[in-house]
Amino acid sequence: MFKILNKYISLLWLVFVTLFSVSIYVVVAKSCVLDNYSHYYLFSSFFKILNESYFIRIVVVILNLVLQLLLISSFLSQSRFIAPNSPYPSIFYLALLLSTNSLITITPIFFTNTILLIILCLNVNYDNESRTKRNIFFTGILVALGCCFDFAFIVTLLFVIISLMINLYSKIRHIMILLSGFIILITYIFSYYLFTDSLGLLQNYFSQISPLYTFNSISTYSSLRITFFAIAFFASWIMIFKISQAFESKIVAMRKRHITLQILYVVLFLSFLFCTLSYPFYLQYLIVPLACFFVAVAQLPSRLFINELLVLFIFLGLCL
């Protein structure tokens, strides 16, 4: 199937238009906002506006969706995983959003994924030293901002630190710049609660974070659903292994970028340690790295439709 799509670009664009149209229909006709939880600090501030005004909710969700499609296409083209203007990134990203019902129930992850994509775009290249420092500083601020939507986003800080250690020589200095950006925003938020005598609200926010909450929620599902999820998890690592083999002949920079995506996948998978969203909402954390891997594997040669089957198994694990 991927061979046919790669051969006929017009067919690819037809698939994209179809998925985008379906996505817009789902947003307009079926979308709703996750019930308000006080431990989603910044997201809870959005809740009343998004929930009470249908028009504002639709506009915000659609604009955020379009921004995500532009960002993931930009990131993958800058990383040289895909040719510029290819619809592949948008196709897989939309397919993952639809399969995980991310456009039906709007969760904090729908907004933190946008922040994550901005972070990835800021850290594609480290060619210019002054621009690199500026981008790393803003990355720290963005990680702190994402934590205000969902505290589980804190794992992204670990991903960025490891990414800097892989891609840069002066690691300690750049890590300190990253942490300074992160601490500045966190300090501002803490100061706001301190001077407005609202520390009790901040304490309540953190007290509701329950480690392994997502893991415990998985146990309430049927054994069949858990089995499909396990199959999808193993299929994803087989896919990553196939991509790694293909990238062995690439230049060092390309291999580093692929390793960085693997680290992102592992780090986001471990976000269940801090996540307060139940399964299957938790799966939305994996949309960005999976979309990137799907784009890479769709361009690899395959015998007996192995690549297509791997992608199919993963989608089944997400849907069922």
Side-chain angles (χ1 to χ4, degrees):
M1 181 179 176
F2 290 148
K3 186 176 181 180
I4 297 173
L5 291 174
N6 291 331
K7 187 176 181 181
Y8 300 103
I9 188 67
S10 57
L11 188 57
L12 265 179
W13 281 105
L14 178 62
V15 174
F16 164 71
V17 171
T18 302
L19 286 173
F20 186 72
S21 301
V22 172
S23 300
I24 296 299
Y25 167 77
V26 170
V27 170
V28 172
K30 299 182 179 181
S31 68
C32 63
V33 185
L34 185 72
D35 291 342
N36 187 22
Y37 290 97
S38 58
H39 50 283
Y40 300 142
Y41 162 62
L42 193 55
F43 183 73
S44 63
S45 303
F46 278 57
F47 177 78
K48 288 185 178 180
I49 299 174
L50 296 179
N51 198 46
E52 293 177 359
S53 175
Y54 169 80
F55 176 77
I56 293 178
R57 181 174 76 244
I58 298 305
V59 170
V60 169
V61 172
I62 291 177
L63 288 178
N64 193 57
L65 173 62
V66 172
L67 178 59
Q68 289 177 349
L69 297 180
L70 293 174
L71 287 170
I72 193 168
S73 297
S74 175
F75 167 68
L76 289 173
S77 62
Q78 289 183 63
S79 302
R80 299 182 181 179
F81 282 102
I82 193 73
N85 302 321
S86 172
Y88 256 135
S90 298
I91 287 173
F92 285 120
Y93 195 81
L94 288 171
L96 285 165
L97 286 175
L98 292 170
S99 63
T100 55
N101 293 327
S102 299
L103 298 177
I104 295 178
T105 304
I106 306 302
T107 70
I109 307 174
F110 184 65
F111 297 98
T112 57
N113 275 344
T114 304
I115 297 174
L116 174 61
L117 287 168
I118 296 173
I119 290 172
L120 291 176
C121 289
L122 285 175
N123 294 275
V124 172
N125 295 308
Y126 299 107
D127 299 332
N128 184 285
E129 179 66 18
S130 61
R131 184 175 60 191
T132 295
K133 291 179 180 178
R134 183 173 63 252
N135 289 348
I136 291 174
F137 178 77
F138 282 117
T139 296
I141 293 177
L142 287 171
V143 173
L145 181 64
C147 292
C148 295
F149 277 99
D150 178 13
F151 185 74
F153 196 72
I154 189 71
V155 298
T156 310
L157 187 65
L158 175 61
F159 157 71
V160 178
I161 290 174
I162 297 175
S163 178
L164 293 177
M165 294 175 67
I166 292 173
N167 293 286
L168 291 173
Y169 294 105
S170 53
K171 304 173 178 58
I172 301 300
R173 181 176 60 183
H174 289 98
I175 290 174
M176 294 304 295
I177 294 173
L178 171 73
L179 294 177
S180 65
F182 178 81
I183 292 171
I184 283 174
L185 185 56
I186 294 298
T187 303
Y188 171 79
I189 294 170
F190 179 80
S191 300
Y192 169 79
Y193 278 98
L194 177 64
F195 292 114
T196 57
D197 295 324
S198 304
L199 283 178
L201 293 175
L202 195 62
Q203 182 180 4
N204 181 59
Y205 169 68
F206 286 104
S207 67
Q208 296 183 63
I209 297 173
S210 176
L212 302 179
Y213 174 83
T214 301
F215 181 80
N216 293 331
S217 70
I218 295 177
S219 62
T220 63
Y221 285 84
S222 66
S223 57
L224 179 63
R225 190 167 190 177
I226 296 174
T227 301
F228 270 104
F229 176 73
I231 293 173
F233 177 73
F234 286 113
S236 68
W237 279 105
I238 295 173
M239 177 182 66
I240 292 170
F241 178 73
K242 283 178 63 66
I243 298 171
S244 299
Q245 286 186 315
F247 272 71
E248 286 181 357
S249 59
K250 302 288 185 179
I251 61 175
V252 175
M254 291 295 294
R255 295 202 297 270
K256 285 184 176 180
R257 287 167 185 165
H258 175 61
I259 292 172
T260 301
L261 282 178
Q262 292 183 42
I263 294 169
L264 177 64
Y265 183 63
V266 173
V267 167
L268 290 178
F269 188 83
L270 293 176
S271 61
F272 71 84
L273 293 172
F274 306 98
C275 181
T276 54
L277 292 170
S278 61
Y279 179 88
F281 294 129
Y282 157 76
L283 298 176
Q284 296 175 21
Y285 286 110
L286 308 178
I287 289 177
V288 172
L290 282 178
C292 296
F293 291 136
F294 287 167
V295 169
V297 80
Q299 300 173 85
L300 299 180
S302 175
R303 295 180 180 179
L304 302 175
F305 303 102
I306 297 298
N307 294 346
E308 288 84 350
L309 287 173
L310 289 172
V311 173
L312 178 62
F313 283 139
I314 295 171
F315 270 112
L316 287 175
L318 296 175
C319 295
L320 297 178

